[in-house]
Amino acid sequence: MQEMEETLFIIKPDAISHAESIIKRVEDEGFEIIEKKRLNLDRKRASEFYAIHKEKPFYSELVNFMSSGPVIVLRLTREDAVSYLRKVVGTTNPSDAAPGTLRKEFGSGVCTNAVHASDSKANADKEIAFFFK
Ligand code: IDP
Ligand code: MG
């Protein structure tokens, strides 16, 4: 039996109109929602959240996008939550993502890719603390 973990999931501004289907999909995959909130990230909070990417050429595009409208932030739990959710989400670029993944279904570009999922247990802990502690 695998270990219970928590991970952070975000429905990005481009996918907010699909929030209901996305949340249903995540629950159907066996995740439980511990906490959930809808909020607007201002530029400062979005920059802080993605600070790890501040040297990347797409950083300002990403910060603009993430502060362009409401997001829904979810604290999720499941066995093997971090890597399992990354599989459900799919690759960064929706055009490379496997059929059935959330980014394939709801993403429209490498920046506007519908959802965020923590990429490691350590980052999941940090990201959960960023929004919920
Ligand atoms: P990930 O979300 O799949 O972990 P990262 O490389 O950590 O991908 O990038 C964080 C976010 O930055 C992506 O989800 C996407 O929204 C955006 N992004 C990544 N690469 C590009 C790019 O080349 N152009 C524009 N935006 C990008
Ligand atoms: Mg990442």
Side-chain angles (χ1 to χ4, degrees):
M1 190 173 135
Q2 284 171 308
E3 203 191 336
M4 288 300 283
E5 284 177 354
E6 291 186 15
T7 193
L8 186 91
F9 182 56
I10 305 178
I11 301 173
K12 296 183 178 184
D14 60 320
I16 212 78
S17 65
H18 300 291
E20 227 177 291
S21 328
I22 292 171
I23 290 169
K24 183 177 183 309
R25 172 68 194 284
V26 156
E27 288 176 324
D28 288 347
E29 293 286 354
F31 288 91
E32 261 181 60
I33 299 169
I34 304 173
E35 291 184 84
K36 173 176 91 169
K37 62 187 176 188
R38 180 182 165 121
L39 56 99
N40 286 276
L41 288 170
D42 60 19
R43 292 187 48 85
K44 183 167 177 290
R45 285 284 281 168
S47 310
E48 281 167 19
F49 182 74
Y50 279 117
I52 194 168
H53 293 304
K54 65 175 179 294
E55 308 303 335
K56 305 269 173 66
F58 58 82
Y59 184 58
S60 60
E61 181 186 358
L62 176 60
V63 168
N64 286 337
F65 165 53
M66 290 301 290
S67 57
S68 68
V71 297
I72 299 176
V73 185
L74 299 98
R75 178 180 181 179
L76 301 177
T77 187
R78 188 191 186 283
E79 283 179 21
D80 197 27
V82 173
S83 70
Y84 193 92
L85 187 61
R86 293 280 294 189
K87 281 185 216 130
V88 173
V89 161
T91 55
T92 306
N93 191 336
S95 56
D96 302 330
T101 60
L102 289 171
R103 282 173 170 168
K104 186 64 159 191
E105 189 170 358
F106 299 108
S108 58
V110 67
C111 188
T112 51
N113 59 9
V115 290
H116 165 87
S118 306
D119 65 359
S120 66
K121 214 164 148 22
N123 282 335
D125 291 343
K126 281 188 212 158
E127 292 175 2
I128 289 166
F130 183 88
F131 285 108
F132 293 107
K133 283 164 192 168

